[in-house]
Amino acid sequence: MVATIDRYTTRISATPAALDRADPVVWDPHMRTRHVDFEVDGFTHSEGVLDERHVRDCLNEVHRLGVDPALRADVRVVREKGSSAVRSIFDIAKLSSVVSDAIEVSGAASVAREILGSEVYIHQSRLNYKPGFRGGAFYWHSDFETWHAEDGMPAPRAVSASIALTDNHHFNGPLMVMPGSHRTFLQCGGSTPERYFEESLVEEIPRVGVPSEDMITRMYDRHGIDVVTGAAGSMTVFDSNLLHASAGNISPVPRANIFVVFNSVDNRLESPFGGTAPRPEFLAAR
Ligand code: 6CS
Ligand code: FE
């Protein structure tokens, strides 16, 4: 198979540049008017996609998985640095039929099909759990930059659906996005250490795969920052290349969200464009 031309080179030694996105945002032209906010801002938010029962059942699952002795040493349960507090549980859709059922009910897959203009499959699912008082931050990044460099995702033809299991207030570490930033691909400097995910999933400010402060400032000057708040049961679907982050959570109110990533079946993973070995299945389904 001829290797795909890399139109999104990143993790480079040269000075990283801001490249125009070489691909559509909403891939099905007929869906552009239906998803105009996604086309323009790179994300769309809806309230009440899960009812209270589904939310409650998922939260019970999260607590069950967080203390399940069988998962104590499982690589898919990522804990906050220097603590046993759960930061993320990967493969959550496979680990819990309750969560997988809630994802079904949320309608995320049909929104993904409309935006991506094709059949879709789950590239990655995770639960990001931010306990009260000591929930960790996630620094500014584009998911696609990581999935391109470390998982071999050819184009930004993937979307993440973040489904809130607790109220996402402005004060308990909600998702922050730069609306419109999805149209610019920010190259990152440096090269990827082997098995880098063992560090990047835990570090609040990863040393590779994040844009420079100068680039983040320029994007802020152009796009500003939206704080995406929403009640438990709400859902935010965002473009794989949208610049996003979330602050730590020192409020008493935990913030727990399911993230499920849908990739187009026409955008299947190839060998990582950053040259490292493919990451494990729980991070990037092949
Ligand atoms: O490496 C990844 O796939 C994960 N890292 C971040 C910061 N967001 C996307 C994903 O969960
Ligand atoms: Fe992310």
Side-chain angles (χ1 to χ4, degrees):
M1 183 178 85
V2 176
T4 306
I5 307 287
D6 186 354
R7 298 170 300 150
Y8 296 100
T9 47
T10 188
R11 315 280 170 101
I12 54 177
S13 49
T15 309
L19 313 177
D20 286 337
R21 180 192 185 108
D23 288 292
V25 173
V26 175
W27 293 68
D28 178 349
H30 301 100
M31 287 294 164
R32 275 188 198 133
T33 42
R34 184 179 165 84
H35 294 291
V36 65
D37 48 350
F38 190 94
E39 175 78 21
V40 172
D41 296 331
F43 72 101
T44 178
H45 179 80
S46 29
E47 292 286 331
V49 302
L50 285 190
D51 64 21
E52 275 173 31
R53 184 178 66 77
H54 277 104
V55 167
R56 192 188 55 243
D57 292 351
C58 284
L59 271 178
N60 291 339
E61 276 292 272
V62 161
H63 292 127
R64 177 181 73 79
L65 292 169
V67 298
D68 181 347
L71 291 174
R72 181 173 304 287
D74 194 305
V75 281
R76 293 172 293 182
V77 180
V78 178
R79 297 175 192 277
E80 293 287 0
K81 206 170 170 185
S83 126
S84 63
V86 173
R87 178 173 168 91
S88 302
I89 302 177
F90 282 90
D91 252 1
I92 189 84
K94 284 189 197 144
L95 284 168
S96 162
S97 57
V98 169
V99 169
S100 147
D101 177 51
I103 292 169
E104 272 298 305
V105 164
S106 73
S110 9
V111 175
R113 274 186 216 103
E114 290 176 359
I115 288 169
L116 302 179
S118 74
E119 247 320 303
V120 299
Y121 69 95
I122 292 182
H123 164 71
Q124 178 188 106
S125 69
R126 70 189 183 278
L127 174 103
N128 276 358
Y129 190 77
K130 277 192 197 195
F133 303 107
R134 64 181 78 82
F138 289 81
Y139 191 71
W140 294 103
H141 65 282
S142 151
D143 292 339
F144 170 66
E145 193 278 339
T146 295
W147 298 337
H148 183 73
E150 297 186 51
D151 299 331
M153 183 182 279
R157 190 171 185 178
V159 296
S160 289
S162 168
I163 302 169
L165 297 182
T166 59
D167 290 343
N168 282 217
H169 301 285
H170 57 281
F171 56 70
N172 66 338
L175 187 66
M176 296 188 290
V177 299
M178 292 196 188
S181 60
H182 59 307
R183 284 209 188 77
T184 302
F185 180 75
L186 299 179
Q187 294 182 312
C188 295
S191 69
T192 318
E194 282 297 338
R195 299 187 67 78
Y196 177 54
F197 60 90
E198 290 169 346
E199 180 187 327
S200 68
L201 297 179
V202 180
E203 285 305 324
E204 289 196 328
I205 308 188
R207 59 195 165 97
V208 170
V210 289
S212 65
E213 291 182 2
D214 169 56
M215 275 214 183
I216 294 169
T217 306
R218 276 163 43 198
M219 295 298 271
Y220 171 73
D221 293 343
R222 199 185 311 166
H223 301 289
I225 290 177
D226 278 4
V227 179
V228 186
T229 54
S234 63
M235 176 168 76
T236 308
V237 178
F238 60 100
D239 183 271
S240 60
N241 186 48
L242 186 68
L243 199 54
H244 66 286
S246 60
N249 179 17
I250 56 170
S251 83
V253 183
R255 192 218 77 169
N257 288 19
I258 296 165
F259 284 81
V260 52
V261 183
F262 294 98
N263 189 25
S264 163
V265 291
D266 301 328
N267 193 40
R268 287 190 185 282
L269 304 187
E270 300 178 13
S271 43
F273 288 87
T276 45
R279 297 199 301 173
E281 274 288 318
F282 71 86
L283 286 174
R286 290 177 176 273

